[in-house]
Amino acid sequence: MIRRAEKSEAGEIARIINAAFEVEREFRKGDRTSAAEISRLLERDVFFVAEEAGRLIGAVHTAVEGASGYFGMLAVDSSSRRTGVGQALLAAAEEHCRQAGCTKMTMSTGEDRKELIPYYERLGYRVTAIEPSTSPAFKRPIRIVRMAKPI
């Protein structure tokens, strides 16, 4: 079941995201997120979560920025990957943004996550920019790949 997250779930959402983003340890300093950051984001944005048998198994951050929707931190528990949960979460994020009047959906990922770019391209996303990251969250210089698709 896909539904909107509740603020009380911030810690569990952070756990799922950090576990899924563990592959970024090579170039990222520390965890991808925290319960405090998720709580702050929930004040203005939406997280959709996937739940199975009363347990959270996935999450995605969703924001509306004018006519553009944005999703980030799409994460699925390792036991539930390759089952369509990620696509279902993304579909919920896109539908939320479409209902809010957005005409395009955007996202970004690190260039080092080479497996993600073709995945999102298969879902209709196209690269719109590749630029150096200015974030202090990274151990070394990386480039950010920005992608978008009409919704």
Side-chain angles (χ1 to χ4, degrees):
M1 172 177 73
I2 306 295
R3 62 172 175 77
R4 285 175 82 128
E6 298 171 20
K7 212 168 182 186
S8 63
E9 296 170 312
E12 186 63 8
I13 292 167
R15 184 198 65 75
I16 290 167
I17 292 168
N18 287 331
F21 280 76
E22 189 65 26
V23 298
E24 293 186 356
R25 284 285 183 187
E26 171 198 331
F27 59 86
R28 179 180 291 282
K29 297 176 190 170
D31 288 337
R32 171 62 183 86
T33 192
S34 65
E37 180 186 22
I38 301 298
S39 291
R40 278 192 308 275
L41 289 170
L42 278 167
E43 305 247 335
R44 65 164 207 254
D45 300 333
V46 174
F47 272 83
F48 288 97
V49 293
E51 186 176 29
E52 184 176 81
R55 183 175 79 88
L56 295 189
I57 59 168
V60 64
H61 172 223
T62 308
V64 173
E65 301 164 355
S68 293
Y70 171 83
F71 80 91
M73 293 192 270
L74 177 60
V76 176
D77 189 75
S78 62
S79 65
S80 301
R81 289 189 191 135
R82 303 197 190 294
T83 63
V85 171
Q87 286 185 26
L89 284 163
L90 182 52
E94 290 174 352
E95 182 58 23
H96 172 77
C97 292
R98 193 178 295 110
Q99 294 291 324
C102 298
T103 56
K104 75 175 177 176
M105 195 74 174
T106 64
M107 58 85 62
S108 61
T109 189
E111 186 178 50
D112 293 45
R113 297 294 308 273
K114 298 189 182 319
E115 76 285 4
L116 294 181
I117 296 162
Y119 172 78
Y120 290 119
E121 286 178 333
R122 285 191 299 277
L123 298 176
Y125 286 81
R126 297 294 172 252
V127 174
T128 58
I130 300 174
E131 55 201 28
S133 171
T134 56
S135 172
F138 301 111
K139 297 177 183 177
R140 59 177 168 78
I142 71 162
R143 295 192 320 165
I144 301 297
V145 177
R146 301 205 184 280
M147 301 181 81
K149 88 172 200 182
I151 57 171

